[in-house]
Amino acid sequence: MDSETASSLPIGPEAPGRASVLIPLALFTAYDYALPDGFTPPPGAFVSVPLGRRSVTGVVWGDGDLRIDATKLKQIEAALPVPALPDISRRFIEWVAAYNMAPIGSVLRMAMSVPDALEPERETKAWTIGDRTAGKLTEARARVIAALEDGAPLTTGDLADSAGCTPGVVAEMARRGMLRAVALPARRPFGVPDPDRKGPALSEAQQRAVDALVALEPGVTLLNGVTGSGKTEVYFEAIAACLRQGRQALVLLPEIALSAQWLGRFAERFGAPPAQWHSELTGLERRVTWRAVLDGEAKVIVGARSALFLPYRDLGLIIVDEEHESAFKQEDGVIYQARDMAVVRGHLAKIPVILASATPSLETVVNVDQGRYRALHLPDRHGGAELPPVTLIDLRRDKPERQQWLSPSLIRAVHEAIASEGQALLFLNRRGYAPLTLCRDCGHRMQCPSCTAWLVEHRYSARLQCHHCGYQTQMPPACPACGHSGTFAACGPGVERLAEEAALLFPQARRLIITSDTVGGPKKTTELIKMVTERAVDLIIGTQIIAKGHHFPHLTLVGVVDADLGLSGGDLRAAERTYQLLHQVAGRAGRAEKPGRVLLQTYDPDRPVMQALKDHDQTRFLRLEEEDRRVAGMPPFGRLAALIVSGRDEAAVESQVRIMAAAIPRGDIAAGVSVLGPAPAPLAMLRGRHRRRFLIKCRRETAPQPFLRAWLRGLKWPGDLKLQIDIDPYSFL
Ligand code: ADP
Ligand code: ZN
Ligand code: ZN
């Protein structure tokens, strides 16, 4: 008897004859179904069940409720012939749903994101040689036979390609029996990584970190070291150790850090590509990968946050690289923080979790200080490369020309860098041409019709765009308010406008603009990055898309055009994020033999975050931040949760939040909890929906969930009113 059968439901006189089945829809509970005679699926089994008039796939979750008369229940229709969803996956789904107050069915849906992966694998038809004499052996047909002579079966397309004939020739040969069809399993988009290939010789500090990590003790470890210190090399060794135990390893990366460079290094170390999980996969790649994770065939999985919910057969290690990145927070559907959930996943499975970062989040640093996480430190850049010196440019003194954004010192530095055969990067984290377009005659501002947001001009595509909802329109011929034409003025710079300025100032330089509008996904990014590494360009103008994970060996100057950009807006983590982003951008300079330098343009050089960047003094900066948050009782010294109520009818939203305000729980359950609001959210309208916010603040020892449950229980949500619950919010818009 194998372990799966052993843990199946009891049979015999006490047999409940029923099971609860969780269905991957926005449901808060599993539904009960009757079991057909003699059928005892183990917990986790994928089954098909009737739901309304449909048949859906769900997962056996528990025993079912004995109080319900089994004869009234509908029957489970069939079990699918795939391995059960492992126990830990189910406990993880329960945990994520409870903590984030999301419907458990929606969380299961994230784990079952590829429904057709449960169907029998579709095979591709391929050809081998059949009866050669069944038709006339023309020249083209002879080439087809030759292409198959020394080896593996080929699909019609591949065969036609290698024989240099049309698919029609192949089809005709097949019809005559000259070729024989065989079924091929789908190609695996990953390989079998070999842990025992030789990695690079490690420095002493790297080796110490590796020694600590390969022990693979359960618990969380922060791997901290400046960009280029070898964190990736070090965690590769932890992956190797995990592979030697025959277990699976997961590397979570922000999607834009999942670069061809990363994949190339992985393949070099392990001799095979890892399984990937990101938005650019084809349907077939998704299906094959999901199944291979469940079967235990995919050994190393690298992916964006949703990879956390894949059905790992035996996960032995989780690495969260760039753990400080806010991209780990999923902001729609089920709202969750993937880094934090990775820690939970590791805890449930009693496996190690490694958080890697050059600029760890304050949350993680405090967890280290308080002894909950271990920390390993890599002090130096590999090969002794120095961190580039950072100079602050005070824009109040070193003024750019009118309607320009580069100060004289920065312009000079770009000229010097290019003249001495280096490359320069001008960084501005703002897409498009200008963030605001206004009418000079009447002051009208071009605004999104469905959001509280300005339309951003994109001159390359000749459109105005809302960056919140995706609304697009052409630039109108005249001002919609006063009817005058030719009165529009672009206010402020985006990268496109900066590129225009650069073209004026550095006409001889080969320039390249890199933003998410000019690159699609990882594949296109790779092409552009290659142009940089192969020195096909002198000057790069880009947004944060170039800041992560890329290594530019010839880059000697980084100019940050507006270092203050991320600091406005009253976000709890604004300074911390600015530090992380600018430190990361700065780290692009001088990574090889050539020393680099970094210039930051700011209107407020005395701010602690600017001083910390200048002095490379992360610790001092974090201590100051920590103190501010401790005093204010803000995370990680207190907890936050946000409720956003939205609807198309503003009056209905307003009346709903008034009802809610009157229902705020009091008494014991409210001890240590305070509620701020309701107030219009800063994005008071989004996609045509009016939004009001409550912010719930608790002491660290108090969990907000019981309070929220008590509050929300029994509230009705008439019409199209919607409630979004955001535990540990990162966005305050
Ligand atoms: P991090 O992840 O900390 O930014 P990486 O692991 O990407 O650092 O290392 C930075 C660069 O240095 C990479 O090109 C890497 O191949 C190289 N490197 C790091 N450690 C070593 C080593 N021990 N031997 C050779 N090259 C190394
Ligand atoms: Zn909009
Ligand atoms: Zn006007």
Side-chain angles (χ1 to χ4, degrees):
M1 202 189 240
D2 67 27
S3 61
E4 275 175 21
T5 345
S7 64
S8 65
L9 299 169
I11 10 180
E14 286 144 345
R18 76 196 73 207
S20 68
V21 174
L22 186 61
I23 294 165
L25 295 172
L27 302 166
F28 280 91
T29 57
Y31 289 163
D32 281 10
Y33 285 90
L35 294 173
D37 278 347
F39 177 56
T40 55
F46 290 96
V47 291
S48 57
V49 292
L51 183 75
R53 258 175 276 156
R54 291 185 297 158
S55 169
V56 296
T57 302
V59 174
V60 172
W61 213 257
D63 293 344
D65 184 347
L66 281 173
R67 289 164 305 183
I68 300 175
D69 177 0
T71 59
K72 297 233 166 75
L73 295 173
K74 289 192 178 159
Q75 267 199 357
I76 291 181
E77 292 163 347
L80 306 183
V82 293
L85 187 65
D87 187 45
I88 288 180
S89 289
R90 278 177 291 126
R91 277 160 56 210
F92 181 52
I93 288 167
E94 280 171 356
W95 206 99
V96 170
Y99 184 85
N100 297 292
M101 300 186 66
I104 186 168
S106 303
V107 181
L108 175 64
R109 194 186 171 93
M110 298 197 294
M112 289 175 63
S113 56
V114 200
D116 53 358
L118 293 164
E119 285 164 17
E121 189 172 319
R122 272 178 242 164
E123 288 166 332
T124 350
K125 193 153 72 165
W127 303 104
T128 57
I129 300 169
D131 177 4
R132 293 165 198 250
T133 60
K136 190 163 156 250
L137 203 61
T138 62
E139 225 174 273
R141 288 178 181 174
R143 287 200 305 273
V144 169
I145 299 282
L148 291 172
E149 211 123 51
D150 56 326
L154 294 173
T155 61
T156 303
D158 288 349
L159 186 51
D161 279 352
S162 52
C165 66
T166 62
V169 173
V170 175
E172 181 55 24
M173 289 176 76
R175 204 183 61 78
R176 290 175 181 270
M178 298 174 80
L179 299 178
R180 196 163 48 80
V182 293
L184 277 188
R187 200 185 68 80
R188 297 290 181 256
F190 53 87
V192 182
D194 173 5
D196 296 322
R197 279 171 62 110
K198 219 166 133 41
L202 299 174
S203 72
E204 213 175 294
Q206 289 174 338
Q207 188 61 51
R208 263 199 307 276
V210 167
D211 292 344
L213 289 178
V214 297
L216 295 179
E217 304 226 8
V220 184
T221 307
L222 167 66
L223 179 60
N224 178 209
V226 294
T227 324
S229 58
K231 296 185 293 298
T232 314
E233 298 297 344
V234 166
Y235 72 62
F236 277 177
E237 296 314 306
I239 294 176
C242 173
L243 288 172
R244 284 187 200 106
Q245 296 188 342
R247 306 186 78 184
Q248 293 168 300
L250 163 65
V251 183
L252 288 181
L253 279 170
E255 180 141 342
I256 55 175
L258 178 48
S259 62
Q261 282 181 357
W262 193 98
L263 293 169
R265 283 175 63 187
F266 184 92
E268 204 170 296
R269 169 64 183 82
F270 293 100
Q276 297 178 50
W277 196 252
H278 57 73
S279 61
E280 270 201 346
L281 294 188
T282 65
L284 178 65
E285 286 169 335
R286 263 172 202 283
R287 204 155 66 219
V288 171
T289 303
W290 192 93
R291 216 16 228 282
V293 172
L294 181 64
D295 291 341
E297 184 199 341
K299 290 301 180 193
V300 179
I301 296 89
V302 56
R305 59 191 177 225
S306 58
L308 191 56
F309 292 93
L310 287 170
Y312 298 93
R313 170 142 218 132
D314 181 23
L315 188 59
L317 171 69
I318 305 176
I319 292 153
V320 184
D321 199 355
E322 312 284 1
E323 69 87 26
H324 60 276
E325 275 292 331
S326 45
F328 284 118
K329 179 82 190 213
Q330 163 124 337
E331 296 284 6
D332 47 35
V334 176
I335 300 179
Y336 65 92
Q337 176 21 303
R339 178 213 41 220
D340 296 349
M341 296 304 115
V343 169
V344 171
R345 179 68 176 75
H347 183 77
L348 289 174
K350 303 191 179 62
I351 58 172
V353 176
I354 300 171
L355 307 179
S357 176
T359 52
S361 63
L362 188 58
E363 278 80 358
T364 296
V365 169
V366 169
N367 275 322
V368 170
D369 288 348
Q370 299 182 348
R372 280 185 293 271
Y373 296 177
R374 285 180 297 253
L376 297 169
H377 197 69
L378 299 176
D380 307 307
R381 283 184 139 187
H382 177 73
E386 293 287 314
L387 277 177
V390 174
T391 311
L392 301 179
I393 295 179
D394 186 343
L395 286 173
R396 292 166 306 185
R397 293 202 201 114
D398 205 344
K399 286 197 184 102
E401 298 282 322
R402 241 179 74 80
Q403 293 295 301
Q404 296 200 348
W405 285 271
L406 301 179
S407 63
S409 339
L410 183 50
I411 294 170
R412 218 175 311 120
V414 172
H415 278 303
E416 283 163 16
I418 297 174
S420 56
E421 319 247 293
Q423 285 172 324
L425 163 67
L426 292 175
F427 174 80
L428 177 64
N429 202 18
R430 201 191 259 141
R431 293 159 52 208
Y433 186 83
L436 167 65
T437 302
L438 63 73
C439 169
R440 267 190 303 255
D441 280 2
C442 73
H444 178 77
R445 295 165 176 218
M446 296 300 290
Q447 205 183 340
C448 176
S450 7
C451 303
T452 321
W454 297 331
L455 292 173
V456 178
E457 181 184 357
H458 284 248
R459 209 160 268 194
Y460 294 166
S461 56
R463 300 194 141 245
L464 290 169
Q465 262 186 40
C466 173
H467 285 183
H468 294 284
C469 73
Y471 170 86
Q472 297 199 6
T473 180
Q474 264 160 7
M475 185 68 93
C479 170
C482 69
H484 297 175
S485 53
T487 58
F488 285 134
C491 301
V495 272
E496 293 180 4
R497 195 171 197 182
L498 193 64
E500 197 175 88
E501 183 175 343
L504 277 176
L505 292 167
F506 317 108
Q508 311 300 337
R510 294 167 301 167
R511 299 173 306 273
L512 178 69
I513 167 163
I514 307 185
T515 92
S516 55
D517 301 300
T518 58
V519 307
K523 283 177 199 146
K524 276 190 219 131
T525 319
T526 307
E527 275 169 41
L528 297 180
I529 299 300
K530 216 164 140 216
M531 291 179 68
V532 180
T533 51
E534 291 177 354
R535 307 198 63 179
V537 295
D538 306 308
L539 177 59
I540 307 125
I541 296 150
T543 58
Q544 63 167 340
I545 197 154
I546 43 145
K548 325 264 153 137
H550 305 296
H551 174 51
F552 300 135
H554 308 290
L555 191 69
T556 52
L557 173 73
V558 168
V560 175
V561 175
D562 184 355
D564 309 325
L565 186 60
L567 290 170
S568 56
D571 187 314
L572 171 69
R573 296 178 181 85
E576 191 189 346
R577 263 188 220 147
T578 297
Y579 185 89
Q580 289 158 348
L581 179 60
L582 297 188
H583 177 89
Q584 188 136 30
V585 180
R588 301 302 110 191
R591 290 189 95 191
E593 311 75 46
K594 294 180 184 167
R597 57 193 288 222
V598 179
L599 300 179
L600 302 185
Q601 298 196 137
T602 169
Y603 281 99
D604 198 354
D606 296 329
R607 267 186 205 251
V609 53
M610 296 304 154
Q611 290 296 318
L613 284 161
K614 175 167 82 71
D615 300 339
H616 297 294
D617 194 346
Q618 185 169 183
T619 312
R620 190 185 64 202
F621 170 68
L622 282 176
R623 291 295 163 243
L624 285 174
E625 277 290 297
E626 193 179 328
E627 205 37 48
D628 285 354
R629 299 229 207 134
R630 191 194 306 274
V631 169
M634 283 295 187
F637 302 101
R639 295 173 188 270
L640 294 178
L643 299 183
I644 295 189
V645 179
S646 70
R648 296 195 170 269
D649 176 3
E650 188 169 12
V653 174
E654 190 54 46
S655 114
Q656 180 75 356
V657 293
R658 259 187 270 121
I659 293 169
M660 288 174 74
I664 294 174
R666 288 166 220 292
D668 284 352
I669 201 153
V673 183
S674 55
V675 178
L676 311 172
L683 257 174
M685 191 161 82
L686 179 63
R687 296 189 173 89
R689 300 178 69 84
H690 297 272
R691 304 164 79 238
R692 298 280 189 280
R693 274 181 80 98
F694 289 94
L695 192 65
I696 292 84
K697 207 175 144 198
C698 320
R699 287 195 299 253
R700 190 182 163 105
E701 348 34 278
T702 310
Q705 290 87 352
F707 172 83
L708 289 172
R709 282 196 189 97
W711 185 6
L712 301 174
R713 194 177 297 135
L715 279 177
K716 303 234 174 344
W717 297 90
D720 80 331
L721 287 179
K722 261 206 301 220
L723 171 69
Q724 219 180 34
I725 305 176
D726 186 355
I727 307 288
D728 306 327
Y730 277 65
S731 164
F732 295 86
L733 289 180

